[in-house]
Amino acid sequence: MSELDKMQTGELYDFTAPEIVASNRHAQRCLERFNRAGVDDESARRTALEELIPGIPATATIIPPLFCDHGHPICIGDGVFINGGATMLDSGGIAIGDRTKIGPDCKLLTPQHPLDYQERRKPVERGLRIEIGEDCWLGGNVTVCPGVKIGSRSIIGAGSVVVRDLPDDVMAAGNPAVVKRALR
């Protein structure tokens, strides 16, 4: 199994392997073009974004700057809006459901480093997939930790750190984020 295959299946992988480095470099080239495109050059920005995130719907909007590791493990639904300053460390994969809104400076972090300090000395990690349901709203500066699932129609308050799964139809906030109330 290749290191890229291991990364995509959530297994421990070597992030210094040539294929991982090449994937990251490709993403960085796309991000450079995306983030640098002028406000009046929507065509160049869109072309770079579609190369970075294959299959991104035409109805999805990402405001620059955007930062990510690979791009291809990100799956974005129709009508998604992601405000500027988003950081998506995407080695474990990130799925964002239709019509979800993500505020400025949000961080979606999938890498999980080994807990044992001796293992952590090695250039290895695993990626734990993040899933965000449909019609969600993440306020500004929300951090979503590795492996977290946020249910559809849920709202996460600005500045929150989501460390555990959250169900559908809740409002959660805090560090760590906790459910404050049901929305239905």
Side-chain angles (χ1 to χ4, degrees):
M1 181 179 276
S2 74
E3 296 302 306
L4 194 58
D5 290 337
K6 290 178 188 177
M7 181 186 88
Q8 293 173 333
T9 58
E11 294 184 37
L12 208 58
Y13 70 95
D14 178 351
F15 56 77
T16 64
E19 64 193 295
I20 301 295
V21 172
S23 175
N24 181 261
R25 284 195 178 136
H26 174 263
Q28 298 315 303
R29 285 191 292 273
C30 293
L31 286 166
E32 183 177 335
R33 292 193 329 267
F34 175 78
N35 290 330
R36 188 181 53 201
V39 69
D40 294 325
D41 198 352
E42 182 60 31
S43 175
R45 182 179 295 125
R46 191 69 198 186
T47 298
L49 187 60
E50 290 173 355
E51 186 178 338
L52 176 68
I53 305 171
I56 186 171
T59 58
T61 301
I62 300 178
I63 305 297
L66 170 66
F67 308 97
C68 70
D69 287 333
H70 301 280
H72 59 85
I74 300 171
C75 180
I76 294 177
D78 285 320
V80 167
F81 178 85
I82 300 172
N83 216 323
T87 298
M88 298 186 198
L89 303 186
D90 57 9
S91 60
I94 296 171
I96 302 170
D98 295 346
R99 299 168 305 279
T100 286
K101 294 176 178 26
I102 297 180
D105 299 315
C106 285
K107 295 162 192 66
L108 309 179
L109 312 174
T110 69
Q112 178 70 50
H113 298 281
L115 299 179
D116 178 78
Y117 76 93
Q118 291 177 329
E119 283 295 307
R120 225 175 16 255
R121 291 176 180 174
K122 299 174 186 174
V124 296
E125 66 185 15
R126 75 178 72 250
L128 302 177
R129 184 175 177 82
I130 290 174
E131 295 180 13
I132 301 171
E134 296 181 350
D135 298 298
C136 290
W137 173 25
L138 278 61
N141 203 32
V142 167
T143 298
V144 180
C145 291
V148 167
K149 296 178 183 174
I150 298 173
S152 292
R153 299 169 303 281
S154 289
I155 298 171
I156 312 301
S160 296
V161 178
V162 186
V163 299
R164 290 181 201 89
D165 292 356
L166 294 169
D168 294 347
D169 302 303
V170 298
M171 180 181 291
N175 181 4
V178 295
V179 173
K180 300 295 185 180
R181 70 181 180 101
L183 296 173
R184 287 189 170 199

